[in-house]
Amino acid sequence: MAFQSSLGIDIGDSALRVVYLKAALREIRVSAHAVYPVDRELPVEEGLKAAGENLKAFIDKNRVTAGNVFVGIPRRLAIVRDMELPFAAKENLREAVGYEMEKYVPFSADDVYFDFQIIEENKADNRLIILLTLVKKEAMSPYAELGGLLGTGISGIEISSTAVTNYVIRRENVRVGDACVILWRADDALELNLIRRNRLAYSRVLAVADDSDRLRETVRGEFKSIQTVLGHPEDPVRAIACGSDTEDGWLRVIEEEGTRNIARVDLSKTGLASQSLIPAYGLALKGLEKTAVDINLLPPEHRRK
């Protein structure tokens, strides 16, 4: 990966965050980063047009020559869930997923952009578990057009969950055999993402309500579901918290239960000025190395060549 570069653009509901990474001699460093406000009152297309002008200025100012440009979109736009298929489906997996999709989600493959990753396979039990991620075409189209506004094209599009997961796996010493829940706070949402065997195995997004009791009960229920997925319903689960403000009330509410050891991410050696830049960093990583979570919602024919 000598002398490569990659641009990560994370588009949230209230801000656009961009990180420019360069790689040389097996070291990845942050070359530049920025945060630009997004007007939530504007239609998505207009907001992205204004953001595109800021991005052009960023590219010019920092002499960005990235060979890869990856874009992140809000988690709320996506459905993420597991699917079980017979092991033989592995031979033509995309076709099989498209055919079986309507059994799991209220859309057909023709109406969505989707991608998936195998999270468990067992030939003896004739079982294949995949994690499916999909977004309705009409919801993703404005983001896919950002490459045209920039004149750069786009290498890929994914959701914040997968971008944050790739950051945490690389930077927070998550070993292959570890199970870990990532708590990610952005705008008005709280994500709970389960890493298992270095894959994203479970993902939920919750509204961060002012009612502390409701938030506490909702998160408790989500952790119970995760513990059941792991097969150890009584054992505590390692958790890592990151986001716009890890000292905010939402985190204190969760910690008040006293049943979880919640660590905070450490930015000291990353070159990032704020945790809010984590998804953009995770996006840019995809242009420099093979990431643990490999989801790309942009069809191959629309990707930057």
Side-chain angles (χ1 to χ4, degrees), residues 215-279:
L215 176 61
R216 184 181 293 109
E217 287 301 315
T218 302
V219 172
R220 181 184 291 126
E222 291 298 326
F223 266 87
K224 286 293 183 183
S225 296
I226 289 170
Q227 289 168 310
T228 300
V229 168
L230 295 174
H232 303 285
E234 302 304 322
D235 293 347
V237 183
R238 178 187 177 190
I240 296 175
C242 50
S244 55
D245 184 356
T246 53
E247 299 304 324
D248 206 348
W250 67 272
L251 185 54
R252 290 197 297 274
V253 164
I254 297 169
E255 289 182 312
E256 282 171 7
E257 291 187 55
T259 58
R260 306 186 218 299
N261 178 22
I262 302 179
R264 273 70 161 177
V265 297
D266 179 10
L267 296 183
S268 61
K269 297 181 181 180
T270 64
L272 296 178
S274 165
Q275 291 189 23
S276 66
L277 292 162
I278 284 174

Side-chain angles (χ1 to χ4, degrees), residues 18-62:
V18 55
V19 170
Y20 182 38
L21 295 181
K22 289 185 177 180
L25 303 177
R26 298 188 176 275
E27 179 184 1
I28 293 176
R29 63 181 178 84
V30 176
S31 180
H33 58 72
V35 178
Y36 302 108
V38 172
D39 190 341
R40 304 182 71 161
E41 301 301 319
L42 291 176
V44 174
E45 293 84 353
E46 292 183 28
L48 288 178
K49 186 175 181 180
E53 294 302 318
N54 285 326
L55 282 172
K56 285 180 183 178
F58 176 90
I59 289 170
D60 291 341
K61 176 183 177 182
N62 295 288

Side-chain angles (χ1 to χ4, degrees), residues 65-194:
T65 57
N68 294 284
V69 179
F70 287 90
V71 172
I73 61 177
R75 171 64 177 83
R76 61 176 173 77
L77 297 178
I79 293 177
V80 181
R81 64 153 304 156
D82 62 308
M83 288 178 62
E84 182 172 340
L85 298 168
F87 190 86
K90 190 175 180 180
E91 293 184 11
N92 297 289
L93 193 49
R94 178 163 288 274
E95 182 179 340
V97 170
Y99 182 76
E100 296 289 327
M101 185 183 298
E102 291 182 56
K103 296 180 181 179
Y104 292 86
V105 297
F107 307 111
S108 73
D110 294 334
D111 298 328
V112 300
Y113 293 117
F114 72 94
D115 201 7
F116 54 86
Q117 188 167 22
I118 296 173
I119 57 175
E120 184 179 339
E121 53 184 303
N122 190 318
K123 189 173 183 179
D125 292 341
N126 189 32
R127 193 167 75 133
L128 195 67
I129 307 295
I130 69 161
L131 193 75
L132 172 69
T133 303
L134 63 88
V135 177
K136 293 188 71 175
K137 288 182 176 179
E138 61 189 50
M140 199 175 86
S141 290
Y143 301 93
E145 293 170 1
L146 183 61
L149 292 174
L150 296 177
T152 61
I154 294 175
S155 306
I157 294 178
E158 60 184 295
I159 57 175
S160 54
S161 303
T162 54
V164 172
T165 299
N166 280 327
Y167 172 91
V168 169
I169 288 175
R170 192 182 200 283
R171 303 290 320 195
E172 294 297 317
N173 192 30
V174 178
R175 296 174 297 180
V176 173
D178 287 349
C180 176
V181 175
I182 305 169
L183 298 165
W184 167 253
R185 167 72 189 273
D187 296 319
D188 302 323
L190 173 63
E191 294 180 26
L192 290 90
N193 301 307
L194 170 65

